[in-house]
Amino acid sequence: MASMDLIIRRANLPDGSRGVDIGISQGRIVAVQPGLGMGAAQEIDAAGCLASPPFVDAHFHMDSTLTYGMPRVNESGTLLEGIALWSELKPTLAQDAIIDRALAYCDWAVAQGLLAIRSHVDTSDPRLLAVEALLEVKRRVAPYLDLQLVAFPQDGLLRHQGAFDNIKRAIAMGVDVVGGIPHFERTMADGAESVRLLCEFAAEKGLRVDMHCDESDDPLSRHVETLAAQTHRLGMAGRVNGSHLTSMHSMDNYYVSKLIPLMRESGMTVVANPLINITLQGRSDTYPKRRGMTRVPELLAAGIDVAFGHDCVMDPWYGLGSADMLDVAHMGLHVAQMTGRAAMQQCFDAVTAIPARILGLDGYGLAPGCRADLVVLDAASPIDALRLRPARLAVVREGRVVSRMPARRASLALSGRPDIVAFH
Ligand code: FE2
């Protein structure tokens, strides 16, 4: 075999293999085995650190990111004040500023080993400025980040005049996925009708669907059921995702025992957004306060793909975040009490392999033949990565090292104790 472009030496892999070399040639992984006996133009010694396929964020809003405080902060912290605040901000948004902020966020993402993002883009404004801006961003970041866009009717489909037409125009311009927000329509019947219209439109166009669905604390909201039924009716298994589904947290257990099998039967997938769900939901509760996140372990146990998304970073809904999908998985693990070893591994999968399936990414993984996209973490295993949320020592995109970060080390000045603390 000819010499490689890049070899990652002595890496641990997410499946538990240890001390493996990953050989990369012409942007593809060509060998994964211990002691690869050949040279390469460039070598990185992982020295027992974890090499993982890159992080994937299946739910984000890149048109609003990094706008925190513009024109004011969300004082109540609720979803509805966030939506109202976003409506105040929207008319003042300049296309160049949206592009600059999105590109800055993508820089953070690459540095964190996050190389694929599904972002919703608000199509409520008939000028579709944000759509044009994010299509430009998608084009510019394509060499280093896969950006998939969802046409998202933030102000409602039936509630907002011209909304469906805007979605159709956005799709014609190159937006990838059909979005929706049934719980924001005027009535439960309108919400169900919006799900039907949007799923039929996507089926007809051969597109995927990703809806904000039942992002509320209402135990009687039933749009998840409708989304599952439409997915089943239209034969869209694996192509329809329900985002948030926070109402499921509050639903009656008997009803959920019927709902989850219906979801499984339909082949729909789920994205929970733990950072946002734990902060936005339960706001009208006194005590006890509901956590609001959907029933992640139960959905996984039923065989349904569940990913964790970041949703928001420094915008009208959430003032924190740094494109770190391990922060997201860490919160998801705690909120869902997924503390067993297999469950913690599932939390890591929920920000890597599972969202890659939901996005339909080609060539994702560490097997020979896969695209040479990976991240080397200063941690020995996925569980260690969740514990430490460590430095991304190297990020590789199609065989090229696109980011390096130093390991976090503290120098101790204590007599009789080690000089260096690495938290390992
Ligand atoms: Fe969202």
Side-chain angles (χ1 to χ4, degrees):
M1 210 186 287
S3 115
M4 307 271 177
D5 298 327
L6 172 66
I7 296 178
I8 312 289
R9 299 269 185 208
R10 301 194 297 156
N12 292 352
L13 305 187
D15 67 4
S17 353
R18 305 179 79 84
V20 175
D21 293 351
I22 303 168
I24 293 164
S25 179
Q26 296 186 325
R28 293 266 152 188
I29 293 171
V30 292
V32 182
Q33 62 186 75
L36 197 56
M38 64 183 64
Q42 187 181 5
E43 298 206 1
I44 292 174
D45 184 4
C49 287
L50 175 68
S52 170
F55 295 107
V56 179
D57 185 358
H59 189 111
F60 195 62
H61 294 264
M62 208 174 277
D63 48 357
S64 56
T65 195
L66 308 188
T67 60
Y68 184 69
M70 296 169 57
R72 58 185 178 82
V73 298
N74 180 340
E75 291 298 342
S76 68
T78 58
L79 173 65
L80 292 179
E81 185 177 343
I83 293 174
L85 181 47
W86 177 236
S87 292
E88 287 172 39
L89 179 58
K90 264 194 278 191
T92 71
L93 288 176
Q95 215 162 24
D96 287 352
I98 298 173
I99 293 172
D100 288 349
R101 284 190 292 262
L103 288 173
Y105 184 78
C106 290
D107 295 342
W108 295 7
V110 170
Q112 300 278 27
L114 167 56
L115 298 185
I117 299 174
R118 174 181 278 182
S119 173
H120 296 255
V121 50
D122 187 354
T123 53
S124 301
D125 178 349
R127 296 174 301 165
L128 297 181
L129 287 182
V131 171
E132 282 179 8
L134 289 195
L135 283 167
E136 172 64 12
V137 171
K138 176 179 169 155
R139 192 184 62 74
R140 286 205 219 169
V141 303
Y144 52 86
L145 188 145
D146 295 308
L147 178 58
Q148 196 175 82
L149 298 177
V150 185
F152 173 45
Q154 172 79 75
D155 298 337
L157 185 81
L158 301 173
R159 185 172 174 173
H160 182 70
Q161 206 182 4
F164 207 175
D165 190 45
N166 294 347
I167 288 181
K168 290 173 178 169
R169 285 164 53 219
I171 295 291
M173 287 162 70
V175 168
D176 309 275
V177 178
V178 177
I181 186 165
H183 56 277
F184 195 69
E185 305 294 347
R186 285 196 181 88
T187 64
M188 196 65 79
D190 277 1
E193 178 67 356
S194 78
V195 172
R196 182 183 70 80
L197 289 169
L198 291 162
C199 286
E200 284 180 357
F201 172 66
E204 192 184 295
K205 294 274 178 192
L207 299 171
R208 289 172 187 264
V209 172
D210 191 334
M211 282 189 200
H212 287 66
C213 192
D214 281 358
E215 187 181 2
S216 77
D217 295 317
D218 178 0
L220 296 177
S221 201
R222 293 290 180 262
H223 299 306
V224 185
E225 175 186 279
T226 306
L227 188 61
Q230 293 297 344
T231 305
H232 179 69
R233 181 176 74 88
L234 296 164
M236 295 182 79
R239 306 178 61 79
V240 173
N241 182 70
S243 283
H244 291 293
L245 317 189
T246 51
S247 60
M248 288 184 70
H249 186 92
S250 300
M251 282 173 183
D252 171 68
N253 288 331
Y254 178 79
Y255 172 67
V256 171
S257 76
K258 176 195 173 199
L259 177 63
I260 289 181
L262 285 177
M263 294 169 70
R264 170 71 177 121
E265 174 195 50
S266 76
M268 68 177 285
T269 59
V270 173
V271 176
N273 297 295
L275 292 164
I276 306 309
N277 301 152
I278 196 72
T279 48
L280 291 185
Q281 303 311 134
R283 285 280 177 160
S284 58
D285 293 354
T286 54
Y287 287 94
K289 285 183 192 291
R290 284 168 286 180
R291 299 171 187 209
M293 192 167 77
T294 195
R295 305 189 185 202
V296 175
E298 293 79 8
L299 289 163
L300 285 167
I304 296 168
D305 270 348
V306 183
F308 289 140
H310 209 319
D311 201 4
C312 301
V313 169
M314 299 186 72
D315 71 7
W317 295 274
Y318 187 62
L320 303 175
S322 64
D324 188 346
M325 294 308 292
L326 286 172
D327 270 352
V328 174
H330 187 266
M331 179 60 77
L333 183 159
H334 285 81
V335 174
Q337 300 181 328
M338 292 174 66
T339 51
R341 288 187 70 78
M344 288 197 281
Q345 180 80 35
Q346 283 179 314
C347 290
F348 188 84
D349 295 344
V351 291
T352 51
I354 294 172
R357 280 205 292 275
I358 292 175
L359 267 66
L361 293 181
D362 264 347
Y364 180 89
L366 290 183
C370 289
R371 196 162 74 171
D373 294 357
L374 58 88
V375 54
V376 182
L377 297 141
D378 186 24
S381 68
I383 292 172
D384 216 25
L386 286 163
R387 178 177 70 85
L388 295 168
R389 286 155 286 151
R392 279 60 166 174
L393 302 173
V395 180
V396 175
R397 168 74 168 189
E398 291 186 272
R400 191 169 74 87
V401 179
V402 290
S403 178
R404 303 294 295 252
M405 190 188 287
R408 185 175 45 161
R409 299 287 181 267
S411 301
L412 279 192
L414 302 173
S415 66
R417 301 304 307 150
D419 294 338
I420 301 291
V421 170
F423 309 98
H424 292 309

